[in-house]
Amino acid sequence: HSFPTRRSSDLRFFKRDPFHIFRLGIARNFIGSVIVLFCLEGVFDLDGPGKSIDLRLSRAWSSFSLWCDKHNVSPAGLRSFSKEKLHMPKMGTFPWCGGKGSDSILLLKWLKFLSGLHGPANPSSPLFPLVLRACCNGLSFQAIHRHGIWLKSSCRDRIMRCGKGFVQDYARLAKWAYDNRLQLFAMVPKIHAMDHFAVHLALLCFEEYACNPAMFDCSMSEDFIGHLSRQSRRISHTNVVENTILAYKVKARFVLKRFKKRKNK
């Protein structure tokens, strides 16, 4: 029998957060690259106006706004598309789209609609089917939020396939962009982390139930978890719970002490 080393047990302590890996992670790289790609492919072009990237991004925002109005939804952290908003000061820089985690879901649904709309009109292009499939897989991966702590084997397999499918479609789009000398679909570390969800679930293929990755999702308490994470980086992870709570108790005592002083004055 082989026993886990200290290093492997240390690694198992840390968990993957689907919120920052997908919604605030690789999904934003995907969305930014697809928006720029659709601009270059002329998806938002009209007969009259020019074809500069700024005008195309402006028309892309108009298209997204119209889609949002039709579905009675609105983005939480986006007000326009521009090179600055896509963190692309110049062409030749890998883009990614800012915004909230909920915005990533809205944008994926919009891009799914666009790729499904333009795909039949461009049967020779491999891009629209790839984008459509990636959007479907990314949105289907969100089924982790519609399940409880434990996943049945059928649910586990579907979530595993969707997570793996998104990674594969993203990699195919990155390969296409590289072959065409376009800096799109950056192969950032979060695409590797995204693939680990599928790998972990695949290792449990013989189990009747699997732990839901959403157990470690921090989308409902991001700020609180962020504060704890910053504190825990300063101390050993082996005593992170006790030491972090102790640090917060000490801080709370000083805050209450200052409050009482001000109140008594």
Side-chain angles (χ1 to χ4, degrees):
H1 296 283
S2 60
F3 295 95
T5 62
R6 179 176 178 82
R7 177 174 173 78
S8 63
S9 62
D10 290 352
L11 293 176
R12 284 198 298 270
F13 173 84
F14 298 97
K15 306 300 180 184
R16 287 176 289 274
D17 171 22
F19 181 66
H20 284 92
I21 290 176
F22 185 73
R23 291 194 185 195
L24 288 187
I26 194 60
R28 301 207 290 187
N29 296 89
F30 173 79
I31 291 165
S33 293
V34 172
I35 292 174
V36 173
L37 177 62
F38 280 5
C39 287
L40 298 177
E41 290 292 308
V43 170
F44 308 110
D45 285 353
L46 300 173
D47 294 335
K51 296 182 180 180
S52 68
I53 187 64
D54 295 303
L55 290 174
R56 283 172 161 172
L57 287 173
S58 177
R59 292 194 292 268
W61 176 257
S62 298
S63 172
F64 178 59
S65 299
L66 182 62
W67 182 89
C68 288
D69 289 340
K70 176 64 175 65
H71 292 83
N72 296 317
V73 294
S74 59
L78 289 173
R79 295 296 176 266
S80 65
F81 292 150
S82 65
K83 289 191 291 186
E84 290 74 21
K85 296 292 178 61
L86 295 179
H87 303 87
M88 187 181 64
K90 61 181 180 179
M91 294 301 294
T93 305
F94 285 107
W96 60 276
C97 186
K100 302 289 186 179
S102 58
D103 296 336
S104 296
I105 301 302
L106 290 182
L107 288 164
L108 284 174
K109 292 180 178 179
W110 169 62
L111 293 175
K112 175 185 174 182
F113 163 75
L114 282 181
S115 53
L117 181 67
H118 290 272
N122 299 272
S124 60
S125 173
L127 298 177
F128 295 105
L130 276 175
V131 172
L132 176 61
R133 195 163 60 235
C135 290
C136 291
N137 282 324
L139 291 169
S140 295
F141 180 76
Q142 301 308 299
I144 60 176
H145 299 292
R146 297 191 293 272
H147 288 75
I149 294 177
W150 300 105
L151 299 173
K152 295 189 299 183
S153 58
S154 58
C155 300
R156 176 202 63 217
D157 293 344
R158 175 167 174 75
I159 290 172
M160 178 185 67
R161 287 195 301 269
C162 292
K164 190 71 174 179
F166 178 85
V167 171
Q168 292 174 340
D169 294 331
Y170 187 98
R172 292 188 182 102
L173 287 165
K175 175 64 165 56
W176 182 92
Y178 178 80
D179 291 342
N180 288 271
R181 298 186 177 183
L182 295 173
Q183 284 192 255
L184 302 172
F185 305 101
M187 299 300 287
V188 293
K190 286 183 180 178
I191 192 66
H192 180 81
M194 181 70 183
D195 192 45
H196 268 283
F197 288 122
V199 172
H200 176 73
L201 292 174
L203 292 175
L204 303 173
C205 61
F206 297 109
E207 303 292 337
E208 185 177 0
Y209 290 94
C211 183
N212 190 343
M215 276 189 63
F216 308 105
D217 183 280
C218 72
S219 54
M220 297 301 292
S221 54
E222 180 186 4
D223 293 336
F224 175 72
I225 291 175
H227 289 311
L228 289 182
S229 297
R230 281 191 291 276
Q231 177 65 32
S232 65
R233 285 197 294 269
R234 297 174 174 85
I235 56 182
S236 170
H237 80 274
T238 55
N239 299 312
V240 62
V241 177
E242 295 83 356
N243 289 345
T244 301
I245 292 176
L246 176 62
Y248 270 82
K249 284 182 176 179
V250 172
K251 177 66 180 293
R253 182 171 182 175
F254 281 114
V255 171
L256 291 171
K257 189 176 181 179
R258 287 197 297 268
F259 174 76
K260 290 178 180 179
K261 284 185 177 179
R262 288 195 300 268
K263 189 176 180 180
N264 293 331
K265 285 183 179 180

